[in-house]
Amino acid sequence: MKKLLILAISLMFLSISCNDSKKKKNIKKEEPISIQTPAFNPDSAFHFVKAQTDFGPRVPNTEAHRKCALFLQAELERYCDTVIVQPFTALTYDGVKIHGKNIIGSFFPEKQKRVLLAAHWDSRPFADNDPNPANRDKPVDGANDGASGVGILLEIARQLKEKKPEIGVDIIFFDAEDWGTPGGQNIDGDWWALGSQHWARNPHVPNYKANYGILLDMVGAPNAKFLQEGISMHYAPQIVAKVWAKAYQLGFKDYFLNFPGNHITDDHLYVNRIARIPMINIIHQDHSTGTGFVSTWHTLQDNISNIDKHTLYVVGTTVLAVIYDER
């Protein structure tokens, strides 16, 4: 009887086990919903870059600067949920009182998880690095140094309106970044990135916080090389790793190099140091030139003829993919 009882009990447990196994097979796992990244349009981005340079050099206190500010505000108002223009005054290294405007567009301003995207929209008031001395007092178009990052972010804004992300996104066009001291002059003070310094001390929303930020600067030259910039690696190495990993996944390793770059005083320095938001800088560096930057930097050759649509595509696609990966 014990043998029969044991056999009966064994058969009963075997039956229960089989039924449980069948039930488990029928249970479907809840897979996270994945939002497909929209396709970045390089032609549209190029159009936005050219629209800025068509105004001429966007030097603060000029008519071209005033007109471009209105254009950028109007474009962000087409796409963003809210737009804020933050006027400010600042003193340059050479004693000029400038009237600047930081232009800020937000998606889902109510969401707590946020990413900050930024670029500067002003251009250099003098081509102090031009090989021709006669050009060194002339203002620069700033197609690459300024307009390329803004053009990419305007195209990103257009895409964010069409397909909403899961997180809040703020796009800031910083003003008065590029009126710093000419090469060779050593004047005490923080003379670069005046607009981001003002914003970092006076954010557009009280107690503003973002999980991290990405700054775009000089992101439109042909065959650009984006090294892992030093200030970014100091304050936000984990964000550098995130963005570079995404670029590699997308097949852009020839642009995003796993190689240390110089420390660049740029808008992200003050966002990190003052606003305490970890922010990285995607910026073209070139160790083969005397300046460390692309050869057109701070010259009259920084014009629309030296903007490459594929570079715009590489950077824009990478940043878009990072945004749509966030939950």
Side-chain angles (χ1 to χ4, degrees), residues 153-166:
L153 293 184
L154 284 174
E155 171 58 10
I156 285 176
R158 191 178 74 84
Q159 296 293 346
L160 292 176
K161 178 178 175 61
E162 295 297 318
K163 184 176 285 190
K164 297 292 188 182
E166 290 290 298

Side-chain angles (χ1 to χ4, degrees), residues 92-272:
T92 66
Y93 79 94
D94 50 352
V96 178
K97 184 179 180 181
I98 59 173
H99 303 280
K101 289 182 178 179
N102 294 325
I103 306 170
I104 304 134
S106 297
F107 294 88
F108 295 128
E110 73 283 359
K111 291 198 174 185
Q112 198 164 24
K113 184 172 184 180
R114 315 199 63 75
V115 172
L116 168 61
L117 307 176
H120 77 88
W121 69 275
D122 62 306
S123 62
R124 184 78 166 156
F126 29 75
D128 50 308
N129 197 52
D130 200 281
N132 182 353
N135 291 333
R136 291 177 187 166
D137 290 331
K138 297 177 182 178
V140 176
D141 276 353
N144 189 37
D145 192 359
S148 62
V150 172
I152 287 172
L153 293 184
L154 284 174
E155 171 58 10
I156 285 176
R158 191 178 74 84
Q159 296 293 346
L160 292 176
K161 178 178 175 61
E162 295 297 318
K163 184 176 285 190
K164 297 292 188 182
E166 290 290 298
I167 60 168
V169 177
D170 302 291
I171 294 175
I172 302 185
F173 298 145
F174 289 125
D175 200 358
E177 187 275 336
D178 222 355
W179 200 320
T181 54
Q185 292 193 26
N186 187 14
I187 301 174
D188 287 340
D190 290 322
W191 301 113
W192 298 92
L194 301 179
S196 56
Q197 289 187 57
H198 178 81
W199 177 86
R201 294 186 176 95
N202 308 275
H204 63 289
V205 174
N207 302 312
Y208 173 85
K209 292 296 177 187
N211 293 70
Y212 62 88
I214 300 173
L215 175 69
L216 306 182
D217 199 357
M218 292 188 273
V219 286
N223 303 308
K225 306 300 179 188
F226 305 114
L227 309 183
Q228 296 177 339
E229 186 270 336
I231 290 171
S232 306
M233 291 299 292
H234 175 77
Y235 285 103
Q238 72 282 11
I239 308 306
V240 173
K242 178 200 289 277
V243 173
W244 260 246
K246 179 56 65 176
Y248 273 52
Q249 181 186 338
L250 292 166
F252 301 145
K253 67 179 181 178
D254 290 339
Y255 287 81
F256 286 79
L257 306 185
N258 186 21
F259 193 83
N262 295 330
H263 290 64
I264 308 299
T265 299
D266 208 339
D267 291 310
H268 69 312
L269 172 61
Y270 303 101
V271 174
N272 278 294

Side-chain angles (χ1 to χ4, degrees), residues 3-66:
K3 289 182 180 178
L4 290 174
L5 181 60
I6 291 170
L7 179 61
I9 292 171
S10 298
L11 290 171
M12 180 179 69
F13 277 108
L14 180 61
S15 175
I16 292 170
S17 176
C18 289
N19 287 335
D20 283 348
S21 178
K22 287 178 182 178
K23 286 179 183 177
K24 286 177 182 176
K25 286 181 180 178
N26 290 330
I27 294 173
K28 291 183 179 178
K29 285 186 177 181
E30 290 293 330
E31 297 292 339
I33 298 172
S34 177
I35 299 179
Q36 186 176 1
T37 303
F40 184 88
N41 187 329
D43 292 320
S44 176
F46 183 86
H47 162 78
F48 287 131
V49 176
K50 187 174 184 302
Q52 294 169 79
T53 60
D54 283 348
F55 290 109
R58 281 101 41 228
V59 177
N61 298 353
T62 66
E63 185 66 7
H65 182 269
R66 186 189 70 80

